[in-house]
Amino acid sequence: MSTDVLAAVAAEPGVPKPNPILVVDDVRRTFGGLVAVDVRHLEVERGTITSLIGPNGAGKTTLFNCLTGFDRPQAGYWAFDGHRLEGRFAYQIPRYGLVRTFQLTKALDRLTVMENMLLASRGNRGERLLGALLRPSWRHTEDAARQRAERLLETFELTRMGHDLAGTLSGGQRKLLEMARALMTEPAAILLDEPMAGVNPRLRQTLCEHIEGLRDGGLTVFLIEHDMDVVMGISDWVVCMAEGNVISEGPPAVVRADPAVVDAYLGSHDGLAPVDERESHEDETS
Amino acid sequence: MDVLNVFLDAIRVAIGPQAAVFALAGVGLNLQFGYAGLLNFGQVAFMLAGAYGASMTVDAGGPLWLGILVGMAAALVVAMLFGLPALRLRADYLAIVTISVGEIIRLLVRSSTLEPVTNGVFGYRDFAAWFYAINPIPAGRYGVGNLAFPARTLWLIVVAWTLVLLASLLVLGLMRSPWGRVVRGIREDEDAVRSLGKNVFMYKLQALALGGLMGALAGSLRAIDSQAVRPDFFLTITTFMIYAAVILGGAGTIIGPTIGAMALWFVISFSEGLLRLGIESGVIEFLDPEDVAAIRFMIVGLALILLVVFRPQGLAGKPEAGLLDEH
Ligand SMILES: Nc1ncnc2c1ncn2[C@@H]1O[C@H](COP(=O)(O)OP(=O)(O)OP(=O)(O)O)[C@@H](O)[C@H]1O
Ligand SMILES: [Mg+2]
């Protein structure tokens, strides 16, 4: 377990880590007058599960979007595995070993589950227009990709669905597929945006085990999650954002008890309790 | 004229050069729209490039086969004009750019300023002698009754449908390759494909250009068929007719554009023939013969509406493909 690595790290925002894979500096994204993200310094330790929490609208998704080239911050820079990534296009990011999933699941509906997986494979020679018609030139990479896909589908219990169109999967299965598909890119780190949303409790347990398995296999997992039970259960480290800033970080229990975190949630009428925060969100309007 | 002859006439049109031209342009549009999800509303501009490439090259003293290649090269330029400004933006911007750039190209070609280069509104005539000179089919009429073609038309039909077949096989091969998988993925959700490390822009540009090359070939064929090229042959309405053919046949299927083009021309010709027959024989009294040309398009429109309601996946599409769209 990599928790030990972080045992000596102080629980304070922006604290340096022994072996960070992702280092974020002064990233600022505003929409008109609204400061969506304003992160001074943030490090994510390699080989850990780090959770990003915070009330609705805290800027978590926007931070992910900036880091992965889906949004352009007005300022800031960040490095992944020693490579500076600011200014890169979204499609270039996975080449550095960084891949993300989306808060609103993006299954490719009219492709089969297996096609969804194969599409994500790396260095597939048949993906070049010249050569696409020469099956012998790409059969080798395609077969290798298929083997990897079959292993991943088995891990995520999707083998049975391989030939089904992804559009026919249930919401939870789509989440699983999206995660498995991201892993096809052979990443060093994966950013998951609310992987548990809409997933039933039994499957949540399984999904948590998968994520821990990935971490134990050496992958870095940086995930946004609202379910406090999940966050407390699987995180090696927790980062809390509010109004664009990192207001707290540390081991799960420490962050949970941090008055700044409690304040942030109370201030947003979200509540830290493991109830669905969307219920309390409705109180706001009433 | 009786109903059988009207029917045979309609079959003749459905397998004739016009239908083949629509099918070929449709195979290209289907690659762009049906598989890559690109809203290209300027397919007719690719056809214009093919037609003018052929006729202008011959007019300048070059051979027709070179002209066809020039037309294809011009189509690549059109693809850049469409794609570079709009492919990075949201899907609907491509629709706006293609429809307007397509019109701009046509208006430039017909303008007085460019008349020394393009012959303006007059265009070109009789530039395809070479094509008919190499016709290996002996002179004569082939077929029975109303369903017969002279040798020169038959030659064009054979060449045109062969090109449709080759283009369809090319699309089939590509769609079964990893390249086609990425392209179909882009149609579903381009951000997802981007997040998996694919250069979505390049794939879209390639699909647009490849479909445009087929459009250019179709344009050359159209020019060869009529032995005449004028800017006003290339109105945006033609793009919409090709859309009608693709959707009728089944967007995102291999044979959809071919079936759709045949069905479209069959419906146009058959309804026209029946209306004329009805008027001549006195069964239909309330219609003026001059309105027939307009009414047949209304019938096509009605057929399309019925199809969209009862068979949204098109004649050749699989039912589940239509249902999934409702997500
Ligand atoms: N494209 C945009 N245009 C304008 N405002 C935006 C845009 N994207 C995000 N915002 C704003 O930025 C803020 C942060 O949004 P973001 O989606 O990052 O929050 P979040 O922490 O992911 O919330 P949630 O937990 O609800 O998903 C919000 O106030 C949101 O309204
Ligand atoms: Mg979010």
Side-chain angles (χ1 to χ4, degrees):
Chain A
M1 290 282 284
S2 26
T3 343
D4 315 336
V5 188
L6 293 168
V9 177
E12 57 190 39
V15 65
K17 313 274 174 353
N19 186 13
I21 193 167
L22 178 67
V23 182
V24 182
D25 277 296
D26 300 315
V27 169
R28 189 176 160 84
R29 176 63 167 121
T30 60
F31 294 105
L34 179 94
V35 181
V37 169
D38 189 6
V39 172
R40 284 281 127 70
H41 186 80
L42 177 65
E43 296 184 4
V44 175
E45 175 68 10
R46 188 185 300 269
T48 62
I49 297 172
T50 301
S51 292
L52 181 58
I53 64 167
N56 294 121
K60 307 179 294 295
T61 298
T62 307
L63 177 63
F64 270 24
N65 286 345
C66 290
L67 295 179
T68 52
F70 280 89
D71 197 350
R72 295 251 172 258
Q74 277 85 3
Y77 48 98
W78 58 99
F80 178 79
D81 217 1
H83 301 281
R84 292 278 291 265
L85 294 187
E86 67 274 6
R88 300 259 172 239
F89 294 114
Y91 79 88
Q92 296 172 315
I93 304 292
R95 295 181 193 167
Y96 296 92
L98 180 63
V99 70
R100 59 94 49 97
T101 65
F102 294 89
Q103 184 165 357
L104 298 170
T105 324
K106 292 185 184 294
L108 304 170
D109 284 349
R110 282 183 289 174
L111 268 58
T112 65
V113 167
M114 182 49 105
E115 283 178 321
N116 266 267
M117 297 293 286
L118 292 175
L119 181 138
S121 65
R122 257 178 114 123
N124 194 323
R125 307 187 64 166
E127 286 181 356
R128 276 179 259 156
L129 179 55
L130 302 173
L133 292 176
L134 291 173
R135 188 176 289 263
S137 77
W138 49 263
R139 182 177 287 140
H140 191 70
T141 47
E142 181 82 351
D143 285 350
R146 194 174 290 273
Q147 279 174 15
R148 185 177 169 82
E150 275 163 5
R151 278 200 306 276
L152 281 166
L153 286 181
E154 202 173 314
T155 314
F156 285 86
E157 295 167 42
L158 288 169
T159 307
R160 264 189 321 116
M161 276 65 111
H163 297 291
D164 297 352
L165 294 182
T168 64
L169 297 186
S170 73
Q173 287 171 330
R174 285 143 82 75
K175 284 272 170 204
L176 291 175
L177 172 61
E178 203 187 17
M179 202 187 298
R181 191 178 64 191
L183 292 172
M184 278 297 289
T185 65
E186 303 171 39
I190 185 167
L191 307 187
L192 303 171
D193 197 344
E194 302 199 23
M196 307 290 172
V199 175
N200 79 51
R202 190 200 65 80
L203 204 55
R204 276 182 193 213
Q205 193 49 47
T206 327
L207 212 50
C208 283
E209 283 159 22
H210 287 328
I211 292 173
E212 283 169 342
L214 294 172
R215 187 258 329 263
D216 296 340
L219 192 78
T220 307
V221 182
F222 191 24
L223 74 133
I224 298 174
E225 189 48 61
H226 279 297
D227 184 323
M228 276 305 148
D229 287 341
V230 169
V231 171
M232 292 301 133
I234 65 169
S235 310
D236 299 311
W237 194 259
V238 177
V239 176
C240 179
M241 281 178 75
E243 293 171 1
N245 303 294
V246 174
I247 57 162
S248 174
E249 59 173 303
V254 175
V255 171
R256 183 180 191 143
D258 186 337
V261 174
V262 177
D263 270 1
Y265 274 89
L266 290 178
S268 75
H269 295 255
D270 258 359
L272 243 190
V275 289
D276 190 348
E277 60 286 335
R278 254 136 244 176
E279 284 168 24
S280 42
H281 209 73
E282 280 164 16
D283 300 342
E284 230 176 340
T285 49
S286 61
Chain B
M1 238 183 27
D2 58 11
V3 176
L4 177 68
N5 272 331
V6 169
F7 177 77
L8 289 179
D9 249 349
I11 296 283
R12 182 172 53 78
V13 174
I15 60 176
Q18 287 162 303
V21 165
F22 268 49
L24 186 54
V27 172
L29 181 65
N30 186 43
L31 173 61
Q32 300 158 339
F33 165 71
Y35 286 112
L38 300 173
L39 279 177
N40 167 25
F41 281 134
Q43 186 68 343
V44 76
F46 290 114
M47 296 174 73
L48 185 150
Y52 270 85
S55 52
M56 286 172 81
T57 305
V58 173
D59 190 63
L64 181 61
W65 61 264
L66 179 67
I68 293 171
L69 293 181
V70 169
M72 293 172 83
L76 292 181
V77 176
V78 174
M80 297 295 158
L81 290 177
F82 283 175
L84 295 182
L87 277 183
R88 286 187 204 276
L89 306 175
R90 254 179 21 219
D92 29 355
Y93 288 97
L94 182 68
I96 297 168
V97 167
T98 50
I99 208 167
S100 35
V101 175
E103 267 300 273
I104 290 171
I105 292 172
R106 183 181 70 84
L107 292 172
L108 281 177
V109 167
R110 89 193 289 284
S111 68
S112 316
T113 317
L114 284 183
E115 197 173 315
V117 191
T118 63
N119 268 2
V121 292
F122 308 108
Y124 298 91
R125 307 191 63 82
D126 301 323
F127 42 80
W130 172 77
F131 178 82
Y132 296 107
I134 60 165
N135 179 3
I137 304 169
R141 258 183 95 72
Y142 296 84
V144 282
N146 277 21
L147 186 51
F149 301 98
R152 61 179 260 133
T153 310
L154 187 63
W155 168 229
L156 180 60
I157 287 174
V158 169
V159 171
W161 284 114
T162 304
L163 286 173
V164 172
L165 178 70
L166 290 177
S168 301
L169 288 176
L170 175 66
V171 173
L172 177 68
L174 286 174
M175 284 309 134
R176 289 192 172 169
S177 78
W179 185 86
R181 192 166 55 212
V182 176
V183 164
R184 286 183 293 127
I186 290 170
R187 172 189 69 191
E188 300 300 306
D189 190 323
E190 60 175 77
D191 274 343
V193 175
R194 214 169 259 135
S195 78
L196 299 169
K198 315 297 170 191
N199 187 348
V200 168
F201 175 75
M202 275 308 294
Y203 283 95
K204 287 203 228 174
L205 197 59
Q206 287 170 350
L208 186 66
L210 209 53
L213 287 178
M214 295 172 190
L217 263 180
S220 298
L221 284 177
R222 191 197 187 293
I224 290 169
D225 177 32
S226 57
Q227 278 274 39
V229 162
R230 283 202 295 276
D232 295 344
F233 290 173
F234 301 94
L235 297 172
T236 302
I237 182 77
T238 304
T239 300
F240 291 122
M241 294 293 279
I242 297 166
Y243 261 100
V246 170
I247 292 167
L248 200 63
T253 65
I254 296 296
I255 55 165
T258 300
I259 292 189
M262 287 179 159
L264 181 72
W265 281 102
F266 179 85
V267 171
I268 290 175
S269 169
F270 195 55
S271 53
E272 175 172 10
L274 280 186
L275 286 169
R276 289 201 190 287
L277 191 64
I279 292 169
E280 275 166 30
S281 61
V283 180
I284 304 175
E285 293 175 344
F286 49 90
L287 277 183
D288 192 300
E290 285 178 12
D291 291 334
V292 167
I295 289 173
R296 59 186 186 159
F297 284 116
M298 295 183 200
I299 292 174
V300 170
L302 192 66
L304 264 176
I305 292 169
L306 290 176
L307 186 93
V308 168
V309 173
F310 293 107
R311 209 179 153 80
Q313 73 275 24
L315 295 171
K318 290 197 212 102
E320 66 264 34
L323 290 177
L324 271 179
D325 277 347
E326 288 170 17
H327 264 324

